[in-house]
Amino acid sequence: MASTAMPSPLSVTFLLFLLLLGASFYTIEAREPFACDPKDAKTKGLLFCLASLKVEDRVKDLIGRLTLQEKVKLLVNNAAAVPRLGIKGYEWWSEALHGVSNVGPGTKFGGDFPGATSFPQVITTAASFNASLWESIGRVVSDEARAMYNGGVAGLTYWSPNVNIFRDPRWGRGQETPGEDPVLVGKYAASYVRGLQGNDGNRLKVAACCKHFTAYDLDNWNGVDRYHFNAKVSKQDIVDTFDVPFKMCVKEGKVASVMCSYNQVNGVPTCADPNLLKKTVRGVWGLDGYIVSDCDSVGVYYDQQHYTSTPEEAAADAIKAGLDLDCGPFLAVHTEDAVQKGLLNEKDVNTALANTLNVQVRLGMFDGEPFKHPFGNLGPKDVCTPAHQELALESARQGIVLLKNRGPSLPLSTRRYRTVAVVGPNSNVTNAMIGNYAGVACGYTSPLQGIGRYIKTIHQQGCADVTCADDKLFGAAVNVASQANATILVVGLDQTIEAEFKDRAGLVLPGRQQELVSKVAAASKGPTILVLMSGGPIDVAFAKNDPRISAILWTGYPGQAGGAAIADILFGTYNPGGKLPMTWYPQDYLKNLPMTNMAMRSSQSTGYPGRTYRFYKGPVVYPFGYGISYTKYVYTIASAPTVISIPLDGRHARGNTTTSGKAIRVTHAKCNRLSIGVQVDVRNKGSRDGSHTLLVFSTPPAGHWVPYKQLVAFEKVQVPARAQRRVLINIHVCKYLSVVDKSGIRRIPMGLHSLHIGDTKHSVSIQEAKLGLIKS
């Protein structure tokens, strides 16, 4: 696709002005109302159409008017129309992982809406560690989603984001996630959901969905696929790792939906497990919204997992477990028979419908004219605006990670280097930059095009594609590298290597890409810069240790403006500040490590290495949180407490129920406002302004069930050259300094907790408050 010129960098103020301008001064002809059309005399006076009534009263009234036959046809993603009540059919399935997508049938591009802003893939955006950026992206995506809904080509229910943990580096869908750390993933989830859903009280701009609940991170590996996989997970790992992002998404993000996954967890399909759905998601966490199945999950556990004997039992099990909506036809086909056979009460169907209708009412779908909605004026001019595209560019810049800079060789000087050789299978890609679950981008700037805006280029791919099956194109690539003043190699992966349904076999560059890199670097007469495009980590130890390779950048899948962002960093217009959201392991890590082993913690007796930086202490290529800059930052802890006392809530007697192994149960502590305030001075010692990510880790007191360290806070801070900024970090003790024991109970360990900020450490002693200090 031809390049679309991206706007020049804008000030934050002007960017906000453009965002407001695009959203405020355009009106379109209203789409037909979904329901409650004021021109329809037979429905306009019905109670469920009265916006002045409470949501629950409107929902109750509507359910009372439906027959069982009508109800069951509303339990599926392509919900049927109810013409006698003036209600149109609705497609629930739309996607907006990193921009409005056409993966689901609810969204169509064309006509007035040829495309939408395609932001970087989530793994890239997560590397920014910038919660305000994530929320800003959500706001833009929901603006464009509402505009497309108003134009009749999209829905209002978006089954995004993916908040599974990137547990195994081979997972093909790891690119969709915010990485391997539960707190990082949870904060991303809450921030992006807030951006999507808006902040208008109980009303929803669009309805987001956190997926896939739970312990889902295998697609198709070594003959095991997601439809048949039984994830055997300890209570400790469920509470400590897999459920954390979903809990944060529900409780902090107030998400309107949660999606259950295909796999079983400990022998029970997640979409048929009342302990997961009804008890945990809705009961303990308080979901205000609906629970939806991954597509055909109910059919999968009947047809492929053979979990029930009859389809009616499968339908009954799902609804009684707390499932409200089926992506797929199964519930529409079998629920009525399940009721008639006494396996299910119509009350259970009513409960499921109440949850889905609650969300539709909050979206304004029963309020009559769409143009009267607060976002009813959004239209084609609010999609792919200059401000939205600028934010896509800025997001890519913030997410790119500088891994190596020998010399330093970067940034490249256009005065010193007149011609650059651009080589590699990803050097001139466009669609590959947007990863999966994407839509149609507004336009693209490939790496070659972005670099070409700064300097004269000579180009050879070197490999026909990322599989790099032969060396037929190596000679031409080596030749251009020997002619140019510098060489930029753009290599890595794409969706043919890692994707939904496709887990990776290993961690090295595919095919003969490594050979291409080494031969081109040997021939280059100037510095060789390696640019990696991938969702998952790559073992590039060969390049890290090769003195002929001067610098390494990881870009993830950087979105529609990826080439421009890469060039801005290579030539110094932007100072990189991204940090890796996942560990980069050596290929040897995978020896005797099946993807099907769900254990997070290492085992000395079996030689099991453990997973993620929290539980793995072996060799790495690059660690979680790694990323360098064109400047140097130093930290000083200006103030922080050295002792924190944990008061008990007064209702629990001391003993094993409250304290175990010198750790207090979180549920027995007075947790409100119990936080550690740390003031950190961040000094930029270099000559370039920079946007810096401050990562705070904690090492709990030693214990056989605690992580080696865990992320407890992060902040993005802009620090001008040779200047200093003070950052206040608040660490909630019960949330972030707690650990989970083998029984799945979250506890606060007593003793010394070591806080790590770069090379700076600070110890905090946590102790139980004395009896006289406890207020009951």
Side-chain angles (χ1 to χ4, degrees), residues 12-23:
V12 174
T13 303
F14 187 48
L15 187 60
L16 289 172
F17 169 73
L18 284 174
L19 285 166
L20 291 170
L21 184 68

Side-chain angles (χ1 to χ4, degrees), residues 311-505:
E312 293 81 13
E313 288 173 336
D317 281 0
I319 293 174
K320 287 193 292 188
L323 187 72
D324 304 309
L325 186 72
D326 178 19
C327 177
F330 200 92
L331 291 188
V333 174
H334 299 293
T335 300
E336 185 178 355
D337 287 343
V339 173
Q340 291 175 348
K341 290 182 178 182
L343 300 171
L344 192 65
N345 291 321
E346 189 168 349
K347 268 188 187 178
D348 299 317
V349 177
N350 293 347
T351 298
L353 272 183
N355 292 325
T356 56
L357 292 173
N358 165 289
V359 170
Q360 287 185 307
V361 170
R362 290 161 59 200
L363 285 164
M365 294 175 67
F366 289 90
D367 290 353
E369 300 102 329
F371 72 89
K372 289 187 176 179
H373 190 276
F375 302 102
N377 63 328
L378 296 174
K381 287 185 179 179
D382 302 293
V383 180
C384 289
T385 67
H388 293 183
Q389 297 195 58
E390 177 68 18
L391 187 63
L393 172 59
E394 176 62 19
S395 302
R397 289 173 180 146
Q398 289 196 28
I400 291 174
V401 182
L402 179 61
L403 297 172
K404 177 182 177 180
N405 193 15
R406 186 171 173 267
S409 300
L410 293 179
L412 294 172
S413 167
T414 55
R415 293 190 298 273
R416 183 176 179 184
Y417 304 108
R418 300 295 183 180
T419 304
V420 169
V422 182
V423 176
N426 280 336
S427 57
N428 198 29
V429 294
T430 51
N431 191 60
M433 295 191 301
I434 61 178
N436 69 351
Y437 276 79
V440 178
C442 310
Y444 295 99
T445 304
S446 75
L448 178 63
Q449 290 166 335
I451 294 164
R453 294 176 184 175
Y454 281 92
I455 202 167
K456 182 182 177 183
T457 62
I458 46 178
H459 176 241
Q460 287 290 333
Q461 277 194 208
C463 301
D465 53 42
V466 295
T467 60
C468 201
D470 57 56
D471 64 354
K472 292 178 182 177
L473 303 178
F474 282 19
V478 167
N479 185 48
V480 297
S482 67
Q483 296 176 30
N485 303 121
T487 300
I488 300 168
L489 278 151
V490 191
V491 301
L493 316 178
D494 64 15
Q495 302 306 302
T496 66
I497 304 296
E498 56 177 355
E500 189 170 13
F501 311 118
K502 187 185 289 287
D503 297 323
R504 293 161 67 192

Side-chain angles (χ1 to χ4, degrees), residues 100 224 276 610 644 701 723:
V100 180
V224 180
L276 290 178
I644 293 289

